Amino acid sequence: MKTSPTKLLQAIRREVAILFKDVDILLIVLVSPLFYALFYGTVYVHKVETDIPVIVIDQDNSALSRKLIRSLDASQNLLVVRVTQDAVEAKSAIEDWQTQGAIWIPADFSKTLKSGRQAHLKVYLNTSRFLPSNDINRAVQQTVATLAAGVRLRYFQARGLNFDQAAEQIQPLRVDDRNLFNVRQSYGDFLIPGVLALILQQTLLFGLAMSVAREFELNSFEEWQKTSKDNTLLMFAGKGIFYFTLYIAYSLFFFSVIYGVLHLPFHGRYGTFLLLTVLFLLNVTLWGMIIGSFFRSKIVALQTLVFSSYPLFLLSGFSWPLQSMPWWLKNLSTLLPSTSYFLAMQRVTAMTAGPADIVPELLHLLLLFVLSTGLAYWRFQYLQKSVPLGASVRV
């Protein structure tokens, strides 16, 4: 059966009318994406954690230990909230969450360093919060390394070595450590792109599933069939095209305007990003209609799908590497379009990847689209054949 542009336009108009008549779907599709993008983006607006409170146990109380304390406090990541000589006080401060770590300077700290021997600092970290503890550890290591290098440099110069000779004695092997892409090691720059992609996926999935479930809830499936002339492909197109187009616009808005507002780096090409996103949203659009066809209530559909957000995010491999997952979860993740999209999107936006660099992900999304189209067609053909025009719908 041929699909004329007029019939397609009628089907699209019908879906737009449904959207603006149904407040629940309207809120999910038009309000939620923008609200969540700005809300979650604002939460991580600072991107890196600064001024993490620490306490210093200074049992040396020397000019060198005080210099170390000032250097620690000058670090962007650290805030020395208290200096004490009492280890019990420091332990209580960590247990009461007044500080996230304690740095213990021993009594012989200055004397040991000035004699050219190795001094020992102890750093106690609240590792129940791994991000602050990692930041504290890195900041302490950098600060101590800088201070120790200065002390040892003066030690060797006092024994007659020139600056270059003393520098070689301090660090005979030097590692040139350079960060690529996320150069600030910013948690916000890492996480926000994945959250924005998740918002696109989940709100589109919710909205389309609710729209399809609404057809059964209000017994308007027959009207949907009539508007589409009982053409399965026209039913898909009429319901999906508006949402698909809207979410393409959202994706461009998110990864240009929202990226700009939040000062997120976008190093890739928008053509590559758009190609990847089109394949991804086509898959999500089809799955929204497939899932919605199994519900008789739009609210039940929403309540069921809302629990999928975090599992889908975890299975995408964005927050936890796929190779570290159990084999059955790793295999399950290959059935999800978000797995290929999230990882390829990260490479495109942060690592300047082009189409040739993400061919496996593009082919995977294309294969999933073909399979999803076949499954959706079979599902709605079954519904149409088992429920001819004029009959009631049984899901």
Side-chain angles (χ1 to χ4, degrees):
M1 184 184 296
K2 290 186 177 181
T3 303
S4 70
T6 304
K7 294 175 183 176
L8 178 60
L9 192 58
Q10 288 175 348
I12 294 173
R13 278 202 203 118
R14 176 182 180 274
E15 189 59 36
V16 173
I18 288 174
L19 174 67
F20 284 98
K21 283 191 297 184
D22 194 304
V23 176
D24 297 325
I25 301 177
L26 186 71
L27 288 173
I28 291 293
V29 172
L30 292 184
V31 178
S32 294
L34 297 174
F35 170 77
Y36 284 121
L38 292 171
F39 174 75
Y40 285 118
T42 303
V43 169
Y44 296 102
V45 70
H46 295 300
K47 301 182 185 178
V48 294
E49 193 167 14
T50 59
D51 293 336
I52 306 168
V54 295
I55 187 171
V56 177
I57 310 164
D58 184 7
Q59 295 186 336
D60 189 44
N61 197 26
S62 64
L64 191 58
S65 69
R66 289 191 291 272
K67 181 179 180 180
L68 173 61
I69 294 169
R70 288 194 299 271
S71 298
L72 290 169
D73 195 44
S75 170
Q76 179 187 14
N77 296 104
L78 302 181
L79 175 65
V80 178
V81 295
R82 200 182 319 164
V83 179
T84 182
Q85 292 186 334
D86 187 356
V88 175
E89 181 184 352
K91 181 173 181 289
S92 298
I94 294 176
E95 290 174 346
D96 295 340
W97 284 64
Q98 297 173 22
T99 66
Q100 295 299 316
I103 301 159
W104 179 69
I105 303 175
D108 59 349
F109 173 73
S110 178
K111 180 180 178 181
T112 303
L113 271 181
K114 288 180 179 178
S115 67
R117 291 181 291 119
Q118 187 179 58
H120 294 275
L121 288 180
K122 291 184 180 179
V123 181
Y124 300 91
L125 301 171
N126 177 9
T127 49
S128 65
R129 296 186 62 213
F130 69 94
L131 285 176
S133 64
N134 287 342
D135 288 338
I136 292 172
N137 190 41
R138 185 169 62 247
V140 170
Q141 295 290 343
Q142 291 171 348
T143 303
V144 168
T146 301
L147 179 70
V151 171
R152 290 179 64 81
L153 182 68
R154 288 190 293 273
Y155 172 81
F156 286 117
Q157 285 179 317
R159 276 154 180 75
L161 299 180
N162 61 35
F163 180 85
D164 291 335
Q165 291 171 330
E168 287 182 5
Q169 290 294 323
I170 294 169
Q171 197 172 24
L173 176 63
R174 183 175 180 180
V175 177
D176 189 359
D177 187 2
R178 303 188 183 190
N179 295 327
L180 301 177
F181 312 116
N182 188 357
V183 294
R184 293 180 60 200
Q185 300 184 51
S186 163
Y187 190 66
D189 287 353
F190 158 71
L191 187 64
I192 294 175
V195 171
L196 293 178
L198 182 68
I199 291 168
L200 288 173
Q201 172 183 273
Q202 293 303 97
T203 54
L204 175 57
L205 193 67
F206 295 167
L208 263 171
M210 290 173 69
S211 178
V212 172
R214 180 185 184 276
E215 305 284 6
F216 302 125
E217 183 177 7
L218 300 182
N219 292 318
S220 58
F221 186 81
E222 181 182 346
E223 179 191 329
W224 185 15
Q225 285 180 284
K226 285 180 179 178
T227 305
S228 305
K229 306 302 179 185
D230 207 25
N231 183 325
T232 305
L233 294 178
L234 187 56
M235 291 176 72
F236 292 164
K239 189 165 286 289
I241 281 178
F242 174 75
Y243 292 95
F244 173 77
T245 306
L246 176 65
Y247 274 77
I248 287 291
Y250 275 150
S251 64
L252 292 174
F253 179 78
F254 280 10
F255 287 86
S256 57
V257 177
I258 299 293
Y259 256 50
V261 170
L262 299 177
H263 305 290
L264 295 169
F266 190 104
H267 300 300
R269 287 171 283 185
Y270 279 99
T272 306
F273 170 75
L274 189 59
L275 173 62
L276 179 67
T277 303
V278 163
L279 285 173
F280 171 65
L281 293 179
L282 284 172
N283 276 282
V284 178
T285 299
L286 286 169
W287 273 106
M289 288 189 278
I290 293 169
I291 294 171
S293 71
F294 289 94
F295 291 93
R296 289 188 176 183
S297 165
K298 64 182 182 184
I299 298 302
V300 174
L302 176 62
Q303 290 172 337
T304 303
L305 286 172
V306 76
F307 293 105
S308 68
S309 299
Y310 196 57
L312 289 177
F313 187 66
L314 287 177
L315 285 174
S316 70
F318 191 88
S319 62
W320 183 255
L322 290 172
Q323 61 267 25
S324 299
M325 295 183 188
W327 65 267
W328 60 275
L329 285 178
K330 195 187 307 182
N331 291 335
L332 178 62
S333 70
T334 62
L335 302 176
L336 304 174
S338 55
T339 302
S340 290
Y341 180 73
F342 280 34
L343 298 180
M345 177 269 298
Q346 189 178 36
R347 294 174 63 195
V348 169
T349 59
M351 300 172 65
T352 68
D357 302 308
I358 56 169
V359 168
E361 288 84 1
L362 292 173
L363 291 177
H364 185 220
L365 286 170
L366 183 60
L367 176 61
L368 288 177
F369 172 66
V370 172
L371 295 175
S372 301
T373 302
L375 181 60
Y377 189 82
W378 172 83
R379 172 61 179 164
F380 280 87
Q381 279 279 295
Y382 167 79
L383 289 173
Q384 289 171 272
K385 289 177 181 178
S386 61
V387 187
L389 287 174
S392 59
V393 178
R394 292 187 63 185
V395 185

